[in-house]
Amino acid sequence: MVACGCKCETTEQAQLIEQLDRIIDEYRGQPRGLIQVLHKAQELVGYCPKWVQVRVAEGLGVSLQEVYGVVTFYALFSLIPKGRHKISVCAGTACYVKGTKMVVKAIRQHLGIKPGQTTEDSRFSLETVRCIGACGLAPAMIIGKDVHGRLEPEQIPEILEQYQ
Amino acid sequence: MNNLNEIRAKYTEQFQQKSKRARIVVGLGTCGIAAGGDKVMEAIKQEVAARNLDIDIDFTSCIGMCYREPIVEVALPGMASVIYGDIFPDKVSQLIESHVVNKQPVTEWAAMQIPEGRTEYDGIVTMDKSAYYEKQVRTVTSRLGRTNPESIEDYIATGGYEAIEKALSMDRLAVIDEVKKSGLRGRGGAGFSTGMKWTFVYNAQGDKKYAVCNADEGDPGAFMDRSVLEGDPHGVIEGMMIGGYAIGADEGYIYCRAEYPLAIRRLNLAIAKAEKLGLLGENILGSGFNFRIRIKAGAGAFVCGEETALLNSIEGQRGMPRVRPPFPANKGLWQKPTTLNNVETYANVPFILRKGADWYAGMGTEKSKGSKVFCLTGKINNTGLAEVPMGITLREVIFNIAGGIQDGKQFKAVQSGGPSGGCLPAEKLDLPIDYESLGAVGAIMGSGGLVVMDENTCMVDVARFFLNFTQNESCGKCIPCREGTKRMLEILTRICDGEGKVEDMDTLERLANVIKTASLCGLGQTCPNPILTTLRYFRHEYEAHIIDKRCPAGVCNALLVYKIIAENCTGCGACRRVCPVGAISGENKQPHTLDTAACIKCGGCVSKCKFDAIIRG
């Protein structure tokens, strides 16, 4: 068992730590790799809980305070678990004038969650994000890695159905 | 390998061979994929296999007509390429049957044709005469939609890496002089002379220098950098190599938004292919010049588009701006002399070297040379990407290229330059687009996003939208920006909620000027622009909200009153049934009435009414 400071007892968690260490190894002792390591760590764990931050801080040789500072500064890093499918509704100018509000409302009605929340079954989490650069297809949103454009509120249930 | 002559000849031959065979090309930029391009690609592959056709299938990036995505190109040997728009999987079979099998283009689906010396079809407009492209020039965007962005062969066959070969045979100062002479100015927003910037870094003392590419395109409504990175990644790489050679750097960084995964993937692929050919690495083309490029993905912070914040972010820290001086040219990345240029700026450089500074300076106005890529979005008919010569008027861009306002509505404002820019009214439509003219009216060129708004957009609400954005993205280092944007947002929210006071307009103006003067970086210095321009050009809307308690555009909920127009009402009852609070009453086939005190302004009745009998205002 790797000593990580948390109460991980299952093999699954131990494996996760091992994988995390491999990510850290690439930049061990190099503070400049912090953001890159956090990207990969979040991809692996799903979010950046304290134990991840502690391990990254020790591995890269920066203080936990600095890691926490970076995690909370950048919008892409999250301190709380996200759903299996992350819905990011674009709130850029073009999308805003073409109906971001309607899209968010339709998702809210369908899933019962507000931006910043995750459904109880952890299937979806919802957030509004800065311009995703798909302005030609406004209003747009990203689910997972798929961009959906030219949205109409009535299409929302059908689109969400594709993600289980 | 000391020059590219041999492989260029080989790839050019390959490229020409391609046009001798029948081919179908699908536009697979982020916009094409979002519109369903990958499904169309799948359908085409199946159809071609089922019919056992001998035809090449390829993909390209976004040609710029986002409003016609998914876009498919069909070309038969010796005949012009036909660009089809809105090709969804259900149209694929008919398209192939008609154009490929029967050699008859489907004229009504065609957006345009590109002859390139081949035989033209009747009844399809050619690209250079089409309304969308007629006023455009294609330099930086010339490969977009025309070559495979993942193919270094296509790039080299179309003149790629010729410029770096030429640059390496020149003196470093001569390269800088050429760029200076072209008049190229930074395309990221501020418009500083690229040649001057390179001179500063060239002259700076240091054992190590860096060339950094700012690909953290954060302005909402701007996607030209994404399109260029996805469509011509080698062009950006070559531009960086030339910059690196000129200033004496051997390492480059591309700082790209993590929200652009396809751009990052294509950049990585392009770098790997260039390295394999020896175009990146040690002793490039036997010249003794070494250059490597690394990609750093951002993590979602708008302020990182500011140059010193970006440098901090590459170093793995919070993206907060640094105090200048020292400028990055002297103390940049890891305190070493650094040049920072935007994606589009770098992408222009190979063309300047290849075609000459004079050619480049021949386009544009006296102080703003060359062409600029704009993103046309908002309430217009043709949303997309357009590269135009500097000095073209806003009217030409919005009404000729972008095809005017959607649904025949009235133009109200155009927002140029993202959250740092300004909202310009109809009176300014004949303004030529260049750095100085836009600056003089309170807007900025910015990265080149143009968001068009129609009569249904409330300018106070838009100002609030931008402030909400900048307030969220303010890094918190300078108090005027951190606290000032918060206070301005509170005031604007109050105005939108119908609780504005007359003195609010003056307070906003005062706060805006303090924030502009007392902030360290571009974010704080420019974020009051949307407020100042809306106050300047749309003051009557503020007054309507504050004094008359009315939102003329019908957007601000708290100020809306719903009314039923008795003459139009047929008494169908649709509104009565949909009203969640029972505020609408009336007998069947009799005009209904609406109890404004009970109404919660949800808007449900308006969308249900088929007779335009319910108005809000």
Side-chain angles (χ1 to χ4, degrees), chain B residues 51 60 86 141 159 168 185 213 273 328 330 340 356 380 421 455 459 474 480 496 530 581 595:
Chain B
R51 290 173 185 264
T60 183
D86 308 302
T141 56
L168 291 175
R185 295 169 65 174
C213 174
K273 287 187 176 178
N330 293 308
L340 258 137
I380 42 169
E455 55 191 281
M459 298 316 289
S474 170
C496 289
V581 290
D595 177 5

Side-chain angles (χ1 to χ4, degrees), chain B residues 534-555:
Chain B
T534 47
L535 271 172
R536 181 163 157 195
Y537 299 117
F538 300 95
R539 201 175 188 90
H540 53 279
E541 290 202 23
Y542 282 85
E543 286 164 355
H545 281 75
I546 296 171
I547 301 165
D548 311 337
K549 306 290 173 203
R550 195 168 60 79
C551 174
V555 173

Side-chain angles (χ1 to χ4, degrees), chain B residues 411-545:
Chain B
F411 168 90
K412 183 184 261 185
V414 56
Q415 212 275 342
S416 145
S420 315
C423 296
L424 302 175
E427 302 92 85
K428 302 285 177 207
L429 274 175
D430 291 308
L431 197 75
I433 303 179
D434 61 56
Y435 294 100
E436 280 72 27
S437 307
L438 285 172
V441 293
I444 59 165
M445 173 87 75
S447 50
L450 291 176
V451 185
V452 177
M453 298 163 194
D454 67 5
E455 55 191 281
N456 291 357
T457 316
C458 167
M459 298 316 289
V460 184
D461 180 62
V462 164
R464 181 176 63 156
F465 164 80
F466 280 116
L467 214 46
N468 188 31
F469 178 88
T470 34
Q471 191 260 322
N472 261 321
E473 295 296 339
S474 170
C475 78
K477 185 165 180 162
C478 311
I479 296 161
C481 173
R482 184 182 71 205
E483 300 299 324
T485 52
K486 181 93 183 156
R487 295 287 92 80
M488 289 210 292
L489 180 62
E490 282 169 4
I491 295 174
L492 283 168
T493 306
R494 193 161 75 207
I495 297 175
C496 289
D497 286 346
E499 287 154 20
K501 301 176 216 149
V502 180
E503 62 267 29
D504 280 348
M505 288 186 282
D506 291 338
T507 314
L508 279 175
E509 234 158 29
R510 210 178 64 236
L511 276 169
N513 286 322
V514 171
I515 297 170
K516 268 177 101 107
T517 332
S519 300
L520 262 185
C521 85
L523 192 153
Q525 286 161 8
T526 58
C527 74
N529 284 349
I531 315 295
L532 289 171
T533 50
T534 47
L535 271 172
R536 181 163 157 195
Y537 299 117
F538 300 95
R539 201 175 188 90
H540 53 279
E541 290 202 23
Y542 282 85
E543 286 164 355
H545 281 75

